[in-house]
């Protein structure tokens, strides 16, 4: 799996979510270039918030952030929590397209040959043959 495939997958998912948000806000259409710009802004903003939360936790000698780090980061970035919660309550989330995100990488079929419960070999396998060995029949 190359980094290019992961990047392509991540870009596709974020572009889908940006388009969903635009539809929920009442936009009927948008150019691909404007969606790319909005996607880039959203990704940079989320990365900035995550990086700042991580740095705040590290300044307090912790490896995992907690809710106080999030509050402090939002305060430093001038994000008003009361306005954010009011916006979240008023936002019509029913208009969002909530298609499930496809799993990545796609799970593949296993080609391992495990013993089937109740098979002839399970019932009559000699004791000197270990269970982790492949089936004989």
């Amino acid at each position: 799996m190359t980094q290019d495939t992961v990047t392509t997958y991540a870009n596709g998912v974020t572009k889908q979510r940006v388009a969903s948000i635009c539809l929920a806000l009442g936009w009927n259409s948008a150019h691909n270039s404007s969606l790319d710009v909005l996607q880039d802004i959203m990704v940079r903003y989320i990365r900035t918030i995550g990086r700042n939360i991580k740095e705040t936790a590290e300044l307090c000698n912790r490896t995992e952030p907690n809710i106080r780090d999030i509050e402090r980061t939002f305060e430093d970035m001038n994000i008003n929590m009361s306005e954010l919660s009011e916006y979240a309550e008023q936002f019509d989330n029913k208009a969002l397209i909530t298609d499930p995100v496809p799993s990545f990488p796609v799970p593949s079929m296993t080609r391992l040959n495990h013993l089937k419960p109740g098979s002839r070999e399970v019932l009559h396998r000699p004791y000197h043959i270990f269970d982790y060995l492949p089936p004989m029949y």
Side-chain angles (χ1 to χ4, degrees):
M1 181 175 358
T2 64
Q3 184 67 20
D4 191 38
T5 6
V6 174
T7 306
T8 304
Y9 174 78
N11 286 339
V13 169
T14 53
K15 186 178 273 191
Q16 180 186 19
R17 295 306 175 211
V18 166
S20 172
I21 292 169
C22 291
L23 282 172
L25 292 174
W27 294 12
N28 294 327
S29 65
H31 289 286
N32 277 337
S33 58
S34 61
L35 283 178
D36 290 339
V37 169
L38 287 172
Q39 171 193 355
D40 187 44
I41 290 170
M42 183 179 81
V43 168
R44 287 179 188 215
Y45 193 66
I46 291 172
R47 281 186 183 157
T48 302
I49 291 173
R51 188 180 319 111
N52 290 349
I53 291 171
K54 178 181 173 278
E55 289 172 357
T56 304
E58 288 175 350
L59 284 173
C60 297
N61 285 332
R62 283 183 272 109
T63 56
E64 292 186 16
N66 60 23
I67 193 73
R68 301 272 185 230
D69 300 324
I70 297 170
E71 289 174 353
R72 177 63 191 241
T73 299
F74 281 5
E75 183 181 306
D76 292 344
M77 295 179 73
N78 295 325
I79 299 173
N80 190 337
M81 288 302 294
S82 60
E83 290 178 2
L84 184 63
S85 64
E86 181 182 328
Y87 177 76
E89 288 174 8
Q90 292 178 357
F91 187 77
D92 183 20
N93 59 356
K94 293 181 181 92
L96 285 175
I97 298 172
T98 54
D99 294 336
V101 177
S103 59
F104 183 80
V106 177
S108 61
M109 292 295 296
T110 178
R111 291 185 176 81
L112 297 176
N113 197 4
H114 293 291
L115 294 173
K116 307 281 188 277
S119 68
R120 180 178 129 204
E121 184 159 349
V122 170
L123 299 175
H124 303 292
R125 190 172 190 141
Y127 289 108
H128 67 277
I129 299 176
F130 297 107
D131 291 337
Y132 60 81
L133 293 172
M136 296 184 298
Y137 309 113

